[in-house]
Amino acid sequence: MKKQMNKIRMFAVVAFMVAGSLFTSVNAQIEYIGMRTNLVPLRMLSPSLGADIQIAGRWQASIDGHVSLLNKEGDYLQISGVGAEGRRYFNAATSGDMLSGPYIGVSTRYMKYNDQLLSTLGRDGWHYTAGVTGGYTFPLFSNFSLDLGLGLGYVHTDFERYEYYAPTSESRFTGRKIKNSFGITQLE
């Protein structure tokens, strides 16, 4: 568990270093900086917060993270993670406006999860994705937009399985699974 937390921290540090080096090399071209959140993790009590940086008219770099607010008592599902994405929009933004319309990009995400719901087999592990994304950003009003996107690429999952044992009210370890595949990396 401690080893995986160190991996999350290392990934976050590297993502921020890469973003920092990118932004300092094009600091004269940064046109817009905004905040982002994602409603899907919020529904699982894992609020997210991120930053979008618009660069040179059609480019956007994003960094975000979310952390679980649930504790480990009784049934619980914890999901925490960090991610980074670079996008190129097909429509250029006018000066001072947010980017909108269709886009393509690349993204990576690291998530730590712990699923100990009594109605299912428990899983405790981590999930790494890297791939290409595509989508559409709809401007809503003022400084708000709705982003719909899909990502495809490499998916790596490493988790331990647990089975709930009712007589002792405990979860017992039943095995470990590591899986590498090609599939959906992002859906928002």
Side-chain angles (χ1 to χ4, degrees), residues 14-148:
V14 169
F16 282 110
M17 286 174 56
V18 168
S21 65
L22 173 68
F23 302 143
T24 56
S25 64
V26 294
N27 62 359
Q29 298 177 0
I30 292 178
E31 298 173 3
Y32 187 87
I33 298 176
M35 291 179 56
R36 75 173 15 223
T37 189
N38 192 334
L39 296 178
V40 176
L42 183 59
R43 187 170 180 190
M44 294 179 279
L45 294 178
S46 182
S48 68
L49 186 62
D52 292 335
I53 296 99
Q54 184 176 316
I55 305 165
R58 294 179 188 240
W59 295 90
Q60 179 176 311
S62 302
I63 297 175
D64 64 89
H66 57 98
V67 63
S68 179
L69 298 178
L70 296 177
N71 60 16
K72 292 187 173 186
E73 295 178 13
D75 291 352
Y76 62 94
L77 173 63
Q78 294 180 315
I79 300 175
S80 300
V82 295
E85 181 176 13
R87 297 179 178 176
R88 187 204 187 271
Y89 281 82
F90 293 103
N91 301 335
T94 58
S95 180
D97 286 342
M98 295 183 304
L99 288 167
S100 62
Y103 65 85
I104 59 171
V106 294
S107 69
T108 184
R109 181 156 303 281
Y110 179 88
M111 292 190 308
K112 171 76 174 100
Y113 62 93
N114 192 339
D115 174 3
Q116 299 296 326
L117 299 174
L118 299 181
S119 61
T120 65
L121 291 175
R123 291 174 290 194
D124 182 14
W126 61 279
H127 184 81
Y128 170 77
T129 64
V132 296
T133 60
Y136 197 94
T137 301
F138 298 93
L140 296 178
F141 52 89
S142 185
N143 291 323
F144 290 91
S145 63
L146 175 65
D147 187 31
L148 301 176

Side-chain angles (χ1 to χ4, degrees), residues 128-131 152-157 179-183 185:
Y128 170 77
T129 64
L152 299 172
Y154 171 73
V155 179
H156 176 84
T157 305
K179 183 178 177 184
N180 294 302
S181 63
F182 177 84
T185 60

